[in-house]
Amino acid sequence: MAMLIDGKAISQQIKEELKEKALRLKAAGVEITLAVIQVGNDPASSVYVRNKKKGCAYVGIGSVSYELPDETTQEELLTLIRELNQKKEINGILVQLPLPSHIDEDTVIRAIDPKKDVDGFHPQSVGALCIGQPGFLSCTPAGIIQLLKRSGIEIEGKECVVLGRSNIVGKPMAILLLRENATVTVAHSRTRNLKEVIKRADILIAAVGKTKMITSDYIKEGAVVIDVGINRDENGKLCGDVDFESVEPLCSAITPVPGGVGPMTIAMLLNNCMQSAELYA
């Protein structure tokens, strides 16, 4: 029977640590505030924003939110970001993605001051990650590293396969695993013999966005499987990229969906806010 990696419990542990840190910073006169910007009223985005604000309140981080209408122009959004960049009391700026189609995400991400880029998406943050310099880490990959470490799973020397090559998860995930001295393969839709490549994995990170794509015949006995996918099955039930029922009996450890990677993303966002206050207060 596989060990179930409980993201809720581990994220709670991190939040308790951050709560203590926030109290110490407050005692030293350092207040922390996150600005959250949402354009439009995408229901999933609204849930994520609400959870981020709840997380801030829990650990003692202030939050201000800007809920902008769908028809907000790119220039209006950039003007708001430039204003927030200048505000000393704002430590972190988060623009909830995806944005409406008339707004260029890359331009918006680049407009955020790298010192306030708590999502870790700015090219400067990504560059720092690549060459091992201090900077904000992408929240989901950083959360996955914490899931593994705090579950007592050795990364060093392991063969790791990252399925998916997005800028938000796949690419930074591969770099963070390399930092931990793993041997890393990034697999994707054009990978030849995909099943054989994935079956080599001691640790599999599935971040491809395809409902229950990974079945038992992709998995090596004793592998650790981290499921980043958030999908809905034919019954409308939340599920991941991994077919949990068929894969779980083969694994040494596995994350559930929901309750695995998701809570960790918010915990690492809060951690980045704290880091911003410590570095640039």
Side-chain angles (χ1 to χ4, degrees):
M1 178 109 169
M3 171 176 78
L4 201 64
I5 300 174
D6 186 345
K8 281 185 184 171
I10 295 171
S11 70
Q12 188 61 33
Q13 192 180 64
I14 291 168
K15 285 194 276 194
E16 296 304 330
E17 292 164 13
L18 292 173
K19 205 181 206 181
E20 284 180 30
K21 199 182 274 190
L23 285 171
R24 286 199 300 273
L25 285 168
K26 231 167 226 177
V30 179
E31 293 284 343
I32 308 160
T33 305
L34 171 68
V36 182
I37 303 170
Q38 182 183 353
V39 184
N41 55 2
D42 175 72
S45 290
S46 298
V47 171
Y48 292 138
V49 165
R50 196 159 57 244
N51 287 341
K52 286 164 185 173
K53 290 196 284 196
K54 267 167 63 181
C56 284
Y58 185 82
V59 302
I61 293 173
S63 67
V64 289
S65 65
Y66 298 85
E67 283 145 20
L68 307 178
D70 214 18
E71 60 274 13
T72 299
T73 67
Q74 181 165 303
E75 195 44 50
E76 285 169 334
L77 177 56
L78 294 174
T79 299
L80 172 59
I81 290 168
R82 285 192 285 266
E83 285 169 9
L84 294 170
N85 283 341
Q86 298 305 314
K87 288 190 174 180
K88 208 172 178 343
E89 66 273 21
I90 300 292
N91 306 91
I93 300 170
L94 183 151
V95 178
Q96 183 65 41
L97 302 179
L99 290 166
S101 57
H102 65 278
I103 298 176
D104 180 58
E105 286 185 1
D106 187 52
T107 303
V108 169
I109 288 165
R110 285 169 181 269
I112 297 169
D113 182 341
K115 291 177 180 172
K116 299 186 179 191
D117 169 41
V118 289
D119 259 333
F121 294 163
H122 192 282
Q124 191 170 310
S125 304
V126 177
L129 167 64
C130 288
I131 59 173
Q133 295 290 317
F136 297 115
L137 302 179
S138 295
C139 300
T140 300
I144 290 167
I145 295 292
Q146 287 299 313
L147 275 182
L148 293 168
K149 287 184 168 181
R150 290 175 185 245
S151 300
I153 293 162
E154 181 87 16
I155 304 171
E156 185 168 333
K158 294 290 176 70
E159 181 135 11
C160 297
V161 175
V162 179
L163 178 59
R165 51 179 166 174
S166 73
N167 290 337
I168 291 173
V169 180
K171 289 174 190 170
M173 188 75 249
I175 295 163
L176 286 180
L177 289 166
L178 283 172
R179 270 198 193 180
E180 300 294 331
N181 301 314
T183 299
V184 183
T185 301
V186 179
H188 47 79
S189 59
R190 303 294 175 87
T191 300
R192 290 182 184 169
N193 305 317
L194 183 62
K195 200 172 280 189
E196 288 77 3
V197 170
I198 293 173
K199 206 157 189 171
R200 295 202 309 258
D202 300 313
I203 299 173
L204 170 64
I205 315 289
V208 75
K210 291 193 175 172
T211 305
K212 297 186 182 180
M213 174 186 161
I214 301 301
T215 53
S216 59
D217 48 345
Y218 284 84
I219 303 297
K220 176 167 82 175
E221 184 113 26
V224 173
V225 175
I226 306 291
D227 190 352
V228 185
I230 293 280
N231 312 300
R232 290 200 181 270
D233 65 15
E234 62 280 2
N235 303 314
K237 191 180 167 201
L238 270 182
C239 65
D241 293 347
V242 175
D243 181 14
F244 187 92
E245 282 71 25
S246 78
V247 166
E248 187 266 345
L250 286 170
C251 298
S252 59
I254 188 169
T255 57
V257 176
V261 173
M264 295 300 294
T265 301
I266 292 175
M268 300 320 290
L269 168 71
L270 301 172
N271 184 65
N272 280 352
C273 289
M274 208 74 77
Q275 190 184 331
S276 173
E278 289 173 310
L279 288 176
Y280 307 116

